[in-house]
Coordinates of all heavy atoms in Angstrom, one line a residue:
M321 N -0.7 15.5 -29.7 CA -0.4 14.0 -29.9 C -1.8 13.3 -30.1 O -2.7 13.5 -29.3 CB 0.3 13.5 -28.7 CG 1.8 13.7 -28.7 SD 2.6 12.5 -27.7 CE 2.2 13.0 -26.1
S322 N -1.8 12.6 -31.2 CA -3.1 11.8 -31.3 C -2.8 10.3 -30.9 O -1.7 9.8 -31.3 CB -3.5 11.8 -32.8 OG -2.6 11.1 -33.6
P323 N -3.7 9.8 -30.1 CA -3.4 8.4 -29.6 C -3.5 7.4 -30.7 O -4.4 7.5 -31.6 CB -4.5 8.2 -28.6 CG -5.6 9.2 -28.9 CD -4.9 10.3 -29.6
G324 N -2.6 6.4 -30.7 CA -2.7 5.3 -31.7 C -3.8 4.4 -31.4 O -4.5 4.6 -30.4
P325 N -4.0 3.3 -32.2 CA -5.1 2.4 -31.9 C -5.0 1.7 -30.6 O -6.0 1.5 -29.9 CB -4.9 1.3 -33.0 CG -3.8 1.9 -33.9 CD -3.2 3.1 -33.3
E326 N -3.7 1.4 -30.1 CA -3.5 0.8 -28.8 C -4.0 1.7 -27.7 O -4.7 1.2 -26.8 CB -2.1 0.5 -28.6 CG -1.7 -0.9 -29.2 CD -0.2 -1.1 -29.0 OE1 0.3 -0.8 -27.9 OE2 0.5 -1.6 -29.9
A327 N -3.7 3.0 -27.8 CA -4.1 3.9 -26.7 C -5.6 4.0 -26.7 O -6.2 4.0 -25.6 CB -3.5 5.3 -27.0
E328 N -6.3 4.0 -27.8 CA -7.7 4.1 -27.8 C -8.3 2.8 -27.2 O -9.3 2.9 -26.4 CB -8.2 4.2 -29.3 CG -8.2 5.6 -29.7 CD -8.6 5.8 -31.2 OE1 -9.4 5.0 -31.7 OE2 -8.0 6.6 -31.9
A329 N -7.8 1.7 -27.5 CA -8.3 0.4 -26.9 C -8.1 0.5 -25.4 O -9.0 0.1 -24.6 CB -7.5 -0.8 -27.4
S330 N -7.0 1.0 -24.9 CA -6.8 1.0 -23.4 C -7.7 2.1 -22.8 O -8.2 1.9 -21.6 CB -5.4 1.3 -23.1 OG -5.1 2.7 -23.2
V331 N -8.1 3.1 -23.5 CA -9.0 4.1 -23.0 C -10.4 3.4 -22.8 O -11.1 3.6 -21.8 CB -9.2 5.3 -23.9 CG1 -10.4 6.1 -23.5 CG2 -7.9 6.2 -23.8
R332 N -10.8 2.6 -23.7 CA -12.1 1.9 -23.6 C -12.1 0.9 -22.4 O -13.1 0.9 -21.7 CB -12.4 1.1 -24.9 CG -13.2 1.9 -25.9 CD -13.9 1.0 -26.9 NE -13.0 0.0 -27.5 CZ -12.3 0.3 -28.6 NH1 -12.4 1.4 -29.2 NH2 -11.5 -0.7 -29.1
T333 N -11.0 0.2 -22.2 CA -11.0 -0.8 -21.1 C -10.6 -0.3 -19.8 O -11.0 -0.8 -18.8 CB -10.1 -2.0 -21.5 OG1 -8.8 -1.5 -21.8 CG2 -10.6 -2.8 -22.7
Q334 N -9.9 0.8 -19.8 CA -9.4 1.4 -18.5 C -10.5 2.0 -17.7 O -11.4 2.7 -18.3 CB -8.3 2.4 -18.8 CG -7.2 2.4 -17.8 CD -6.1 3.4 -18.3 OE1 -6.4 4.4 -18.8 NE2 -4.9 3.0 -18.1
R335 N -10.5 1.8 -16.4 CA -11.4 2.4 -15.5 C -10.8 3.8 -15.1 O -9.6 3.9 -15.1 CB -11.7 1.6 -14.3 CG -12.2 0.2 -14.8 CD -12.2 -0.8 -13.6 NE -13.1 -0.4 -12.6 CZ -13.3 -1.1 -11.5 NH1 -12.6 -2.2 -11.3 NH2 -14.2 -0.7 -10.6
S336 N -11.7 4.7 -14.8 CA -11.2 6.0 -14.5 C -10.5 6.0 -13.1 O -9.7 6.9 -12.9 CB -12.4 7.0 -14.5 OG -13.4 6.6 -13.6
T337 N -10.8 5.1 -12.2 CA -10.2 5.0 -10.9 C -8.7 4.5 -11.1 O -8.5 3.5 -11.7 CB -10.9 4.1 -10.0 OG1 -12.3 4.2 -10.2 CG2 -10.5 4.3 -8.6
P338 N -7.8 5.2 -10.5 CA -6.4 4.8 -10.5 C -6.3 3.4 -9.9 O -6.9 3.1 -8.8 CB -5.6 5.8 -9.8 CG -6.5 6.9 -9.5 CD -7.9 6.4 -9.6
Q339 N -5.4 2.6 -10.4 CA -5.2 1.2 -9.9 C -3.8 1.1 -9.2 O -2.9 1.8 -9.7 CB -5.2 0.2 -11.1 CG -6.5 0.3 -11.9 CD -7.6 -0.5 -11.4 OE1 -7.6 -1.7 -11.3 NE2 -8.6 0.2 -10.9
R340 N -3.8 0.4 -8.1 CA -2.5 0.2 -7.4 C -2.4 -1.3 -7.0 O -3.4 -2.0 -6.9 CB -2.5 1.0 -6.1 CG -2.5 2.5 -6.3 CD -1.2 3.0 -6.8 NE -1.1 4.5 -6.9 CZ -1.6 5.2 -8.0 NH1 -2.1 4.6 -9.0 NH2 -1.5 6.5 -8.0
T341 N -1.2 -1.7 -6.9 CA -0.9 -3.1 -6.5 C -0.7 -3.2 -5.0 O 0.1 -2.4 -4.4 CB 0.3 -3.6 -7.2 OG1 0.1 -3.4 -8.6 CG2 0.5 -5.1 -6.9
C342 N -1.4 -4.1 -4.3 CA -1.3 -4.3 -2.9 C 0.0 -5.0 -2.7 O 0.3 -6.1 -3.3 CB -2.5 -5.2 -2.4 SG -2.3 -5.8 -0.7
I343 N 0.8 -4.5 -1.7 CA 2.1 -5.2 -1.5 C 1.9 -6.5 -0.7 O 2.9 -7.2 -0.5 CB 3.1 -4.3 -0.8 CG1 2.7 -3.9 0.7 CG2 3.4 -3.0 -1.6 CD1 3.8 -3.2 1.5
G344 N 0.7 -6.7 -0.1 CA 0.5 -7.9 0.6 C 0.1 -9.1 -0.3 O 0.8 -10.1 -0.3
C345 N -1.0 -8.9 -1.0 CA -1.5 -10.0 -1.8 C -1.1 -9.8 -3.3 O -1.3 -10.7 -4.1 CB -3.0 -10.2 -1.7 SG -3.9 -8.8 -2.3
R346 N -0.5 -8.7 -3.6 CA 0.0 -8.4 -5.0 C -1.2 -8.3 -6.0 O -0.9 -8.5 -7.2 CB 1.0 -9.4 -5.4 CG 2.3 -9.2 -4.7 CD 3.2 -10.3 -5.2 NE 4.6 -10.0 -4.8 CZ 5.6 -10.7 -5.2 NH1 5.5 -11.7 -6.0 NH2 6.8 -10.4 -4.8
S347 N -2.4 -8.2 -5.6 CA -3.4 -8.0 -6.6 C -3.7 -6.5 -6.8 O -3.4 -5.7 -6.0 CB -4.7 -8.8 -6.1 OG -5.3 -8.1 -5.0
V348 N -4.2 -6.2 -8.0 CA -4.4 -4.8 -8.4 C -5.8 -4.4 -8.0 O -6.8 -5.2 -8.3 CB -4.1 -4.7 -9.9 CG1 -4.4 -3.2 -10.3 CG2 -2.7 -5.1 -10.2
S349 N -5.9 -3.3 -7.3 CA -7.2 -2.8 -6.9 C -7.4 -1.4 -7.2 O -6.4 -0.7 -7.4 CB -7.4 -3.0 -5.4 OG -7.6 -4.4 -5.0
D350 N -8.6 -0.9 -7.1 CA -8.8 0.6 -7.1 C -8.0 1.2 -6.0 O -8.0 0.7 -4.9 CB -10.3 0.9 -6.9 CG -11.1 0.5 -8.2 OD1 -10.5 0.1 -9.1 OD2 -12.3 0.7 -8.1
R351 N -7.5 2.3 -6.3 CA -6.7 3.1 -5.2 C -7.6 3.3 -4.0 O -7.1 3.2 -2.9 CB -6.4 4.4 -5.8 CG -5.1 5.0 -5.3 CD -4.9 6.4 -5.8 NE -5.3 7.3 -4.7 CZ -4.7 8.5 -4.5 NH1 -3.7 8.9 -5.3 NH2 -5.0 9.3 -3.6
S352 N -8.9 3.5 -4.2 CA -9.8 3.8 -3.0 C -9.9 2.5 -2.1 O -10.4 2.7 -1.0 CB -11.1 4.2 -3.5 OG -11.7 3.3 -4.4
A353 N -9.6 1.3 -2.6 CA -9.8 0.1 -1.8 C -8.5 -0.1 -1.0 O -8.5 -1.1 -0.2 CB -10.1 -1.1 -2.7
L354 N -7.5 0.7 -1.3 CA -6.2 0.4 -0.6 C -5.8 1.6 0.3 O -6.3 2.7 0.2 CB -5.1 0.3 -1.7 CG -5.3 -0.9 -2.7 CD1 -4.5 -0.7 -4.0 CD2 -4.8 -2.2 -2.0
V355 N -4.9 1.3 1.2 CA -4.4 2.3 2.1 C -2.9 2.6 1.7 O -2.2 1.6 1.4 CB -4.5 1.8 3.6 CG1 -3.9 2.9 4.5 CG2 -5.9 1.4 3.9
R356 N -2.6 3.8 1.7 CA -1.2 4.2 1.4 C -0.3 4.0 2.6 O -0.6 4.3 3.7 CB -1.1 5.6 0.9 CG 0.2 6.0 0.3 CD 0.2 7.4 -0.3 NE 1.4 7.7 -0.9 CZ 2.4 8.5 -0.4 NH1 2.2 9.0 0.9 NH2 3.5 8.8 -1.0
L357 N 0.9 3.5 2.3 CA 2.0 3.5 3.3 C 3.1 4.4 2.9 O 3.4 4.6 1.7 CB 2.6 2.0 3.4 CG 1.6 0.9 3.7 CD1 2.3 -0.4 3.7 CD2 1.0 1.1 5.1
A358 N 3.7 5.1 3.8 CA 4.7 6.0 3.5 C 5.9 5.9 4.5 O 5.7 5.1 5.4 CB 4.2 7.5 3.5
L359 N 6.9 6.6 4.3 CA 8.1 6.5 5.2 C 8.2 7.7 6.1 O 7.9 8.8 5.6 CB 9.4 6.3 4.4 CG 9.5 5.0 3.7 CD1 10.9 5.0 3.0 CD2 9.4 3.8 4.6
E360 N 8.5 7.5 7.3 CA 8.7 8.6 8.2 C 10.1 8.4 8.8 O 10.4 7.4 9.3 CB 7.7 8.6 9.3 CG 7.2 9.9 9.8 CD 6.0 9.8 10.6 OE1 6.0 9.1 11.6 OE2 5.0 10.5 10.3
Q361 N 11.0 9.4 8.6 CA 12.3 9.3 9.0 C 12.5 9.5 10.5 O 12.2 10.6 11.0 CB 13.2 10.2 8.2 CG 14.7 10.0 8.3 CD 15.2 8.8 7.5 OE1 14.8 8.7 6.4 NE2 16.1 8.0 8.1
H362 N 13.0 8.5 11.2 CA 13.3 8.7 12.6 C 14.7 8.1 12.7 O 14.9 6.9 12.7 CB 12.5 7.9 13.5 CG 11.0 8.2 13.5 ND1 10.5 9.4 14.0 CD2 9.9 7.6 13.0 CE1 9.2 9.5 13.8 NE2 8.8 8.4 13.2
G363 N 15.7 9.0 12.8 CA 17.1 8.4 13.0 C 17.5 7.8 11.7 O 17.3 8.3 10.6
D364 N 18.3 6.7 11.8 CA 18.9 6.0 10.7 C 17.9 5.3 9.8 O 18.0 5.3 8.5 CB 20.0 5.0 11.1 CG 21.1 5.8 11.8 OD1 21.3 7.0 11.5 OD2 21.9 5.1 12.6
V365 N 17.0 4.6 10.4 CA 16.1 3.7 9.6 C 14.7 4.3 9.6 O 14.1 4.6 10.6 CB 16.0 2.3 10.2 CG1 15.2 1.4 9.4 CG2 17.4 1.7 10.4
P366 N 14.2 4.6 8.4 CA 12.8 5.1 8.3 C 11.8 4.1 8.7 O 11.9 2.9 8.5 CB 12.7 5.5 6.8 CG 13.7 4.7 6.1 CD 14.8 4.3 7.1
S367 N 10.7 4.6 9.3 CA 9.6 3.7 9.7 C 8.5 3.7 8.6 O 8.2 4.8 8.0 CB 9.0 4.2 11.0 OG 10.0 4.2 12.0
V368 N 7.9 2.6 8.4 CA 6.8 2.5 7.5 C 5.5 2.9 8.3 O 5.2 2.3 9.4 CB 6.6 1.1 7.0 CG1 5.4 1.0 6.1 CG2 7.8 0.6 6.4
V369 N 4.9 4.0 7.9 CA 3.7 4.4 8.6 C 2.5 4.4 7.6 O 2.6 4.5 6.4 CB 3.8 5.9 9.1 CG1 4.9 5.9 10.2 CG2 4.2 6.9 8.0
V370 N 1.3 4.2 8.3 CA 0.1 4.1 7.5 C -0.3 5.6 7.2 O -0.3 6.4 8.1 CB -1.0 3.4 8.3 CG1 -2.3 3.4 7.5 CG2 -0.6 2.0 8.7
D371 N -0.7 5.8 6.0 CA -1.0 7.2 5.5 C -2.4 7.2 4.9 O -2.5 7.3 3.7 CB 0.1 7.6 4.5 CG -0.1 9.0 3.9 OD1 -0.8 9.8 4.5 OD2 0.5 9.2 2.9
P372 N -3.4 7.2 5.8 CA -4.8 7.0 5.3 C -5.2 8.1 4.3 O -6.1 7.8 3.5 CB -5.6 6.9 6.5 CG -4.7 7.0 7.7 CD -3.3 7.3 7.2
R373 N -4.7 9.3 4.5 CA -5.2 10.4 3.6 C -4.2 10.6 2.4 O -4.4 11.5 1.7 CB -5.3 11.7 4.4 CG -6.5 11.6 5.3 CD -6.6 12.9 6.1 NE -5.4 13.2 6.9 CZ -5.1 14.4 7.4 NH1 -5.8 15.4 7.2 NH2 -4.0 14.5 8.1
A374 N -3.2 9.7 2.3 CA -2.3 9.7 1.2 C -1.7 11.1 1.1 O -1.6 11.7 0.0 CB -2.9 9.3 -0.1
A375 N -1.3 11.7 2.3 CA -0.8 13.1 2.3 C 0.7 13.2 2.5 O 1.2 14.3 2.3 CB -1.6 13.8 3.4
L376 N 1.3 12.1 2.9 CA 2.7 12.2 3.3 C 3.6 12.3 2.0 O 3.2 11.6 1.0 CB 3.2 11.0 4.1 CG 2.5 11.0 5.5 CD1 2.9 9.7 6.3 CD2 3.0 12.2 6.3
P377 N 4.7 13.0 2.0 CA 5.5 13.1 0.8 C 6.3 11.9 0.6 O 6.5 11.0 1.5 CB 6.4 14.3 1.1 CG 6.5 14.3 2.6 CD 5.2 13.8 3.1
G378 N 6.9 11.8 -0.6 CA 7.8 10.7 -0.9 C 7.2 9.5 -1.5 O 6.0 9.5 -1.8
R379 N 8.0 8.5 -1.6 CA 7.5 7.2 -2.2 C 6.4 6.6 -1.4 O 6.5 6.6 -0.1 CB 8.7 6.3 -2.3 CG 8.4 4.9 -2.8 CD 9.7 4.1 -3.0 NE 10.2 4.3 -4.3 CZ 9.9 3.6 -5.3 NH1 9.0 2.6 -5.2 NH2 10.4 3.8 -6.5
G380 N 5.4 6.0 -2.0 CA 4.4 5.3 -1.2 C 4.3 3.9 -1.7 O 4.7 3.5 -2.7
A381 N 3.6 3.1 -0.8 CA 3.3 1.7 -1.2 C 1.8 1.6 -0.8 O 1.3 2.4 0.0 CB 4.1 0.7 -0.4
W382 N 1.2 0.6 -1.4 CA -0.3 0.5 -1.2 C -0.6 -0.9 -0.7 O 0.0 -1.9 -1.1 CB -1.0 0.8 -2.5 CG -0.8 2.2 -2.9 CD1 0.3 2.7 -3.6 CD2 -1.7 3.3 -2.7 NE1 0.1 4.0 -3.8 CE2 -1.1 4.4 -3.2 CE3 -2.9 3.4 -2.1 CZ2 -1.7 5.7 -3.2 CZ3 -3.5 4.7 -2.0 CH2 -2.9 5.8 -2.6
I383 N -1.6 -1.0 0.2 CA -2.0 -2.3 0.8 C -3.4 -2.3 1.1 O -4.0 -1.2 1.4 CB -1.1 -2.5 2.0 CG1 -1.2 -4.0 2.5 CG2 -1.4 -1.6 3.2 CD1 -0.1 -4.4 3.4
H384 N -4.1 -3.5 1.1 CA -5.4 -3.6 1.5 C -5.5 -3.4 3.0 O -4.6 -3.8 3.8 CB -6.0 -4.9 1.2 CG -6.3 -5.1 -0.3 ND1 -5.6 -6.0 -1.1 CD2 -7.2 -4.5 -1.1 CE1 -6.0 -5.9 -2.3 NE2 -7.0 -5.0 -2.4
R385 N -6.6 -2.9 3.5 CA -6.8 -2.8 4.9 C -7.4 -4.1 5.4 O -8.5 -4.3 5.8 CB -7.9 -1.7 5.2 CG -8.1 -1.3 6.6 CD -9.2 -0.3 6.7 NE -8.9 1.0 6.2 CZ -8.3 2.0 6.9 NH1 -8.0 1.8 8.1 NH2 -8.0 3.1 6.3
D386 N -6.5 -5.1 5.3 CA -6.9 -6.5 5.6 C -5.8 -7.2 6.3 O -4.6 -7.2 5.8 CB -7.1 -7.2 4.2 CG -7.6 -8.6 4.3 OD1 -7.3 -9.3 5.3 OD2 -8.3 -9.0 3.4
P387 N -6.1 -7.8 7.5 CA -5.0 -8.4 8.3 C -4.2 -9.4 7.4 O -3.0 -9.6 7.6 CB -5.8 -9.1 9.4 CG -7.0 -8.4 9.5 CD -7.4 -7.9 8.1
A388 N -4.9 -10.1 6.5 CA -4.2 -11.2 5.7 C -3.1 -10.5 4.9 O -2.0 -11.0 4.7 CB -5.2 -11.9 4.9
C389 N -3.4 -9.4 4.3 CA -2.5 -8.7 3.4 C -1.3 -8.1 4.2 O -0.2 -8.2 3.8 CB -3.2 -7.6 2.6 SG -4.4 -8.2 1.4
V390 N -1.7 -7.5 5.4 CA -0.6 -6.9 6.2 C 0.3 -7.9 6.7 O 1.6 -7.8 6.7 CB -1.3 -6.1 7.4 CG1 -0.2 -5.4 8.2 CG2 -2.2 -5.0 6.8
S391 N -0.2 -9.1 7.2 CA 0.6 -10.1 7.7 C 1.5 -10.7 6.6 O 2.7 -11.0 6.8 CB -0.2 -11.1 8.5 OG -0.3 -12.3 7.9
A392 N 0.9 -10.9 5.4 CA 1.7 -11.4 4.3 C 2.8 -10.4 3.9 O 4.0 -10.8 3.6 CB 0.8 -11.6 3.0
A393 N 2.6 -9.1 3.9 CA 3.6 -8.1 3.6 C 4.7 -8.2 4.7 O 5.9 -8.1 4.3 CB 2.9 -6.7 3.6
L394 N 4.3 -8.3 5.9 CA 5.4 -8.4 7.0 C 6.2 -9.6 6.8 O 7.4 -9.6 6.9 CB 4.7 -8.4 8.4 CG 4.2 -7.1 8.9 CD1 3.2 -7.3 10.1 CD2 5.3 -6.2 9.2
K395 N 5.6 -10.8 6.5 CA 6.3 -12.0 6.4 C 7.3 -12.0 5.2 O 8.4 -12.5 5.3 CB 5.3 -13.2 6.2 CG 5.2 -14.1 7.3 CD 4.1 -15.2 7.1 CE 3.0 -15.0 8.1 NZ 1.8 -15.8 7.7
R396 N 6.8 -11.4 4.1 CA 7.7 -11.3 2.9 C 8.6 -10.1 2.9 O 9.3 -9.9 2.0 CB 6.8 -11.3 1.7 CG 6.0 -12.6 1.4 CD 5.8 -12.7 0.0 NE 5.6 -11.4 -0.7 CZ 4.5 -10.9 -1.0 NH1 3.4 -11.5 -0.7 NH2 4.4 -9.7 -1.5
K397 N 8.5 -9.3 4.0 CA 9.3 -8.0 4.0 C 9.0 -7.2 2.8 O 9.9 -6.7 2.1 CB 10.8 -8.3 4.2 CG 11.1 -9.0 5.5 CD 12.6 -9.0 5.7 CE 13.0 -9.6 7.1 NZ 12.4 -8.9 8.2
A398 N 7.7 -7.2 2.4 CA 7.4 -6.5 1.2 C 7.6 -5.0 1.2 O 7.9 -4.4 0.2 CB 5.9 -6.8 0.9
A399 N 7.6 -4.5 2.5 CA 7.8 -3.0 2.6 C 9.3 -2.7 2.2 O 9.5 -1.7 1.6 CB 7.5 -2.5 4.0
H400 N 10.2 -3.5 2.6 CA 11.6 -3.3 2.2 C 11.7 -3.2 0.7 O 12.4 -2.4 0.1 CB 12.5 -4.4 2.8 CG 12.5 -4.5 4.3 ND1 13.6 -4.2 5.0 CD2 11.5 -4.8 5.1 CE1 13.3 -4.3 6.3 NE2 12.0 -4.7 6.4
R401 N 11.0 -4.2 0.0 CA 11.1 -4.2 -1.4 C 10.4 -3.0 -2.0 O 10.9 -2.4 -3.0 CB 10.5 -5.5 -1.9 CG 11.2 -6.1 -3.1 CD 10.8 -7.6 -3.3 NE 11.0 -8.4 -2.1 CZ 10.3 -9.5 -1.8 NH1 9.3 -9.9 -2.6 NH2 10.5 -10.2 -0.7
A402 N 9.2 -2.7 -1.5 CA 8.5 -1.6 -2.1 C 9.2 -0.3 -2.0 O 9.2 0.5 -2.9 CB 7.1 -1.5 -1.4
F403 N 9.9 -0.1 -0.8 CA 10.6 1.2 -0.7 C 12.1 1.1 -1.1 O 12.8 2.1 -0.9 CB 10.5 1.7 0.8 CG 9.1 2.1 1.2 CD1 8.3 1.2 1.9 CD2 8.6 3.3 0.7 CE1 7.0 1.6 2.3 CE2 7.3 3.7 1.0 CZ 6.5 2.8 1.8
R404 N 12.5 -0.1 -1.5 CA 13.8 -0.3 -2.0 C 14.9 0.1 -1.0 O 15.9 0.7 -1.4 CB 14.1 0.5 -3.3 CG 13.2 -0.1 -4.4 CD 13.3 0.6 -5.7 NE 12.3 0.3 -6.6 CZ 12.0 1.0 -7.7 NH1 12.7 2.1 -8.0 NH2 11.0 0.6 -8.5
R405 N 14.7 -0.2 0.2 CA 15.7 0.1 1.3 C 15.3 -0.6 2.5 O 14.2 -1.1 2.6 CB 15.8 1.6 1.5 CG 14.4 2.2 1.9 CD 14.4 3.7 1.8 NE 15.4 4.3 2.7 CZ 15.6 5.6 2.9 NH1 14.8 6.4 2.3 NH2 16.5 6.0 3.7
G406 N 16.2 -0.6 3.5 CA 15.9 -1.2 4.8 C 14.9 -0.2 5.5 O 15.2 1.0 5.6
V407 N 13.8 -0.8 6.0 CA 12.8 0.1 6.7 C 12.4 -0.6 8.0 O 12.6 -1.8 8.1 CB 11.6 0.3 5.8 CG1 11.9 1.2 4.6 CG2 10.9 -1.0 5.4
D408 N 11.9 0.1 8.9 CA 11.4 -0.4 10.2 C 9.9 -0.6 10.0 O 9.1 0.3 9.9 CB 11.7 0.6 11.3 CG 11.1 0.1 12.6 OD1 10.7 -1.0 12.7 OD2 11.0 0.9 13.5
D409 N 9.5 -1.9 9.9 CA 8.1 -2.1 9.6 C 7.3 -2.5 10.9 O 6.2 -3.0 10.9 CB 7.9 -3.2 8.5 CG 8.6 -4.5 8.8 OD1 9.0 -4.7 9.9 OD2 8.7 -5.3 7.9
A410 N 7.9 -2.1 12.1 CA 7.2 -2.3 13.3 C 5.8 -1.7 13.4 O 4.9 -2.2 13.9 CB 8.1 -1.9 14.5
P411 N 5.7 -0.4 12.8 CA 4.4 0.2 12.9 C 3.4 -0.6 12.1 O 2.2 -0.6 12.4 CB 4.6 1.6 12.2 CG 6.1 1.9 12.4 CD 6.7 0.5 12.4
L412 N 3.8 -1.4 11.1 CA 2.9 -2.2 10.3 C 2.4 -3.4 11.2 O 1.2 -3.7 11.1 CB 3.6 -2.8 9.1 CG 3.5 -2.1 7.8 CD1 4.0 -3.0 6.7 CD2 2.1 -1.7 7.5
S413 N 3.3 -3.9 12.0 CA 2.8 -5.0 12.9 C 1.8 -4.5 13.9 O 0.8 -5.1 14.3 CB 3.9 -5.7 13.7 OG 5.2 -5.5 13.2
E414 N 2.1 -3.2 14.4 CA 1.1 -2.6 15.3 C -0.3 -2.4 14.6 O -1.3 -2.7 15.2 CB 1.6 -1.2 15.8 CG 2.6 -1.4 16.9 CD 3.4 -0.1 17.1 OE1 2.7 1.0 17.0 OE2 4.6 -0.2 17.5
W415 N -0.2 -2.0 13.4 CA -1.4 -1.8 12.6 C -2.1 -3.1 12.4 O -3.4 -3.2 12.5 CB -1.1 -1.1 11.3 CG -2.3 -0.6 10.5 CD1 -3.3 0.1 11.0 CD2 -2.6 -0.9 9.1 NE1 -4.2 0.4 10.0 CE2 -3.8 -0.2 8.8 CE3 -1.9 -1.6 8.1 CZ2 -4.3 -0.2 7.5 CZ3 -2.5 -1.6 6.8 CH2 -3.7 -0.9 6.6
L416 N -1.3 -4.1 12.2 CA -1.9 -5.5 12.0 C -2.7 -5.9 13.2 O -3.8 -6.4 13.1 CB -0.8 -6.5 11.7 CG -1.2 -8.0 11.7 CD1 -2.3 -8.2 10.6 CD2 0.0 -8.9 11.4
S417 N -2.1 -5.7 14.4 CA -2.9 -6.1 15.6 C -4.1 -5.2 15.8 O -5.1 -5.7 16.2 CB -2.0 -6.0 16.9 OG -1.3 -4.9 17.0
T418 N -4.1 -4.0 15.4 CA -5.3 -3.1 15.4 C -6.3 -3.7 14.5 O -7.5 -3.9 14.9 CB -5.0 -1.7 15.0 OG1 -3.9 -1.2 15.7 CG2 -6.1 -0.8 15.2
L419 N -5.9 -4.1 13.3 CA -6.9 -4.6 12.3 C -7.4 -5.9 12.8 O -8.6 -6.2 12.7 CB -6.2 -4.8 11.0 CG -5.8 -3.6 10.2 CD1 -5.1 -4.0 8.9 CD2 -7.0 -2.7 9.8
T420 N -6.6 -6.8 13.4 CA -7.0 -8.1 13.9 C -8.0 -7.9 15.0 O -9.1 -8.5 15.0 CB -5.8 -8.9 14.4 OG1 -4.8 -8.8 13.4 CG2 -6.2 -10.3 14.7
N421 N -7.7 -6.9 15.9 CA -8.7 -6.7 17.0 C -10.0 -6.2 16.5 O -11.1 -6.5 17.0 CB -8.1 -5.7 18.0 CG -7.0 -6.2 18.8 OD1 -6.8 -7.4 18.9 ND2 -6.1 -5.3 19.3
M422 N -10.0 -5.3 15.4 CA -11.2 -4.8 14.9 C -12.0 -5.9 14.3 O -13.2 -5.9 14.4 CB -10.9 -3.7 13.8 CG -10.5 -2.4 14.5 SD -10.3 -1.0 13.3 CE -10.0 -1.7 11.8
S423 N -11.4 -6.9 13.6 CA -12.2 -7.9 13.0 C -12.7 -8.9 14.0 O -13.7 -9.6 13.8 CB -11.4 -8.6 11.9 OG -10.2 -9.2 12.4
V424 N -12.0 -9.0 15.2 CA -12.5 -9.8 16.3 C -13.7 -9.1 16.9 O -14.7 -9.8 17.2 CB -11.4 -10.2 17.3 CG1 -12.0 -10.9 18.5 CG2 -10.4 -11.0 16.6
N425 N -13.5 -7.8 17.2 CA -14.6 -7.1 17.8 C -15.1 -5.9 16.9 O -14.6 -4.8 17.0 CB -14.1 -6.4 19.1 CG -13.6 -7.5 20.1 OD1 -14.4 -8.4 20.4 ND2 -12.5 -7.3 20.7
P426 N -15.9 -6.2 16.0 CA -16.4 -5.2 15.1 C -17.3 -4.2 15.7 O -18.5 -4.2 15.5 CB -17.0 -6.0 13.9 CG -17.5 -7.2 14.5 CD -16.6 -7.5 15.8
A427 N -16.8 -3.4 16.7 CA -17.7 -2.5 17.4 C -17.7 -1.2 16.8 O -16.7 -0.7 16.4 CB -17.2 -2.4 18.9
Ligands
ZN902 ZN1 -4.1 -7.2 -0.6

């Protein structure tokens, strides 16, 4: 397959780093700037877990390691939308308090 003119233009402007959309602020960032979220099945409702190594199987969502983005995602129930199902986002709130504590005490 030879790329058409449009494909060539996108090759010129595209960066080699994969881009992902943050479910919190909805801005597009390099994959390396975001943390992957995945689902872990416990009983009926899967839990949203942080997957820093992007190693868990299945559908993933991406978010900045930023309390503002995590809290926005929780408020908007963005994880439910990203995973297209009812999910338990309690682990996200726990992660949020960890991030908040870290930014208060950057030790
Ligand atoms: Zn964000």
